[in-house]
Amino acid sequence: MANLKAIRDRIKSVKNTRKITEAMRLVAAARVRRAQEQVLATRPFADALAQVLFGLQNRLQFEDVELPLLQQQEVESVALVVVSGDRGLCGGYNANIIRRAEARAAELKAEGKKVTFILIGRKAIQYFKRREAPITATFANLSQIPTAEEAGQINDETRAIYLSDNVQRVELVYTKFVSLVSSKPVVQTLLPLDPQGLAAQDDEIFRLTSRGGSFEVQREPAPMTAAELPRDMIFEQDPVQILDALLPLYITNQILRALQESAASELAARMTAMNNASDNANDLISDLTRSYNKARQAAITQEILEVVGGAEALG
């Protein structure tokens, strides 16, 4: 009977764990939907900004514009902006982005360049601090649904480091959202800006939908609305001044986009991890139930044999 009680307690414990993992899966799914809504909400501003920059790019010869954010320099030191999560229970999400950052840092060091880190997320901060890596700035406990204000703070700190001439290039290491079961750590040059790359050709919008009782992601190309500014347009200010004011907004938008992609990737990874945990819990409950039934059947058989043996002894 003691064995039966232990199995019953184990089954109860696993069922309670399954309730927690299933709740966490549903919470992650709801937050992925919120991340999707935020991407769609920020799209009009991003489109308008890209349109103005595209028009200025055609009106001006960027290579003749002397703005610090556009100046190509000889690179001696590189700052890596690494975007990770604040929490675990999301599969290999944090390990993958840290591994990609370490690989990129090793590549740069092999080229003879110094590397410093700007870390976003508690997991990356803990990892690189334990290894005494050169860290210039850290950002932790950000909103799970990134905001423009947070992206602006990261942009201000990043630009200050870049403009101080301590680094000659800033690269963004983040996780690109592919699907609910797939994400890809990528590296993007943030500073200096490449004038030819202001309008991304492969930008996409992701939509979380449900089909057949399960979640899936649909990706579609984001519409390109950038067009040339009218030739007869007169600027009240020098176009270079306008460009100087808009470029920081563009960088903030790039950082926000990376934070959104990373947040969606983390939530999708947590969804998948919790779904797998729930499935494993169901399998374990089935195995424990079979073991319980076998043990109970053996106990009943033993009791019957004892009763029969006792009756024969009395007879």
Side-chain angles (χ1 to χ4, degrees):
M1 293 300 293
N3 186 41
L4 290 176
K5 183 177 184 305
I7 297 176
R8 282 199 305 268
D9 291 342
R10 183 78 187 281
I11 292 174
K12 182 179 179 181
S13 175
V14 174
K15 285 183 177 180
N16 291 335
T17 302
R18 183 182 60 183
K19 291 179 182 178
I20 295 173
T21 57
E22 185 63 17
M24 293 181 68
R25 183 185 74 85
L26 294 175
V27 169
R31 287 175 175 164
V32 169
R33 289 187 183 276
R34 287 177 57 195
Q36 163 194 320
E37 293 170 357
Q38 187 190 46
V39 170
L40 297 178
T42 58
R43 173 62 54 185
F45 173 78
D47 285 346
L49 182 60
Q51 181 174 357
V52 174
L53 288 174
F54 183 80
L56 287 172
Q57 175 182 349
N58 290 337
R59 179 70 63 89
L60 300 170
Q61 295 296 322
F62 274 18
E63 59 270 17
D64 297 332
V65 177
E66 295 185 1
L67 293 177
L69 300 183
L70 297 174
Q71 294 300 314
Q72 300 290 331
Q73 309 175 60
E74 182 179 353
V75 178
E76 297 180 356
S77 181
V78 179
L80 294 180
V81 182
V82 183
V83 184
S84 72
D86 287 320
R87 299 186 300 161
L89 297 178
C90 50
Y93 168 78
N94 290 308
N96 290 338
I97 195 64
I98 290 173
R99 191 157 47 240
R100 183 67 183 92
E102 283 190 314
R104 181 55 182 162
E107 293 172 4
L108 293 171
K109 290 178 181 177
E111 297 173 3
K113 298 177 176 60
K114 297 180 181 179
V115 177
T116 185
F117 292 94
I118 300 173
L119 303 176
I120 303 172
R122 191 160 51 87
K123 290 298 182 179
I125 294 172
Q126 291 175 344
Y127 181 88
F128 286 103
K129 276 188 174 179
R130 284 198 298 266
R131 285 153 182 80
E132 299 182 353
I135 300 173
T136 305
T138 60
F139 300 88
N141 299 318
L142 302 183
S143 303
Q144 290 195 344
I145 305 299
T147 64
E149 290 77 13
E150 292 170 339
Q153 293 174 3
I154 297 171
N155 175 29
D156 292 341
E157 185 70 26
T158 302
R159 282 191 299 120
I161 294 170
Y162 177 76
L163 295 175
S164 66
D165 292 330
N166 291 329
V167 299
Q168 292 75 45
R169 189 166 75 222
V170 178
E171 295 183 354
L172 192 58
V173 186
Y174 69 98
T175 306
K176 182 176 178 60
F177 182 82
V178 178
S179 69
L180 289 178
V181 295
S182 177
S183 58
K184 179 183 178 182
V186 297
V187 179
Q188 172 188 340
T189 299
L190 189 64
L191 290 169
L193 290 171
D194 179 8
Q196 303 303 319
L198 290 178
Q201 299 296 325
D202 60 347
D203 202 2
E204 295 175 313
I205 297 175
F206 63 87
R207 300 177 186 275
L208 180 65
T209 61
S210 57
R211 179 181 297 178
S214 60
F215 295 109
E216 67 175 21
V217 170
Q218 296 178 348
R219 300 183 70 89
E220 59 187 47
M224 294 298 296
T225 59
E228 290 190 27
L229 298 177
R231 288 294 178 182
D232 57 352
M233 177 176 288
I234 299 175
F235 295 98
E236 292 185 2
Q237 290 179 294
D238 184 350
V240 175
Q241 294 180 348
I242 298 175
L243 184 63
D244 190 29
L246 290 181
L247 287 178
L249 290 177
Y250 178 79
I251 298 172
T252 297
N253 185 71
Q254 291 293 96
I255 294 174
L256 178 60
R257 178 68 179 179
L259 293 177
Q260 290 171 340
E261 292 268 356
S262 297
S265 299
E266 179 184 359
L267 292 169
R270 184 167 290 112
M271 251 184 74
T272 301
M274 293 301 101
N275 184 66
N276 292 337
S278 297
D279 291 342
N280 291 338
N282 289 330
D283 294 341
L284 183 56
I285 289 171
S286 297
D287 293 341
L288 289 172
T289 300
R290 282 194 294 270
S291 298
Y292 176 80
N293 290 336
K294 289 179 181 179
R296 185 168 178 270
Q297 185 178 18
I300 292 173
T301 302
Q302 181 64 30
E303 290 176 359
I304 292 174
L305 290 176
E306 290 176 355
V307 170
V308 171
E312 290 178 351
L314 292 174

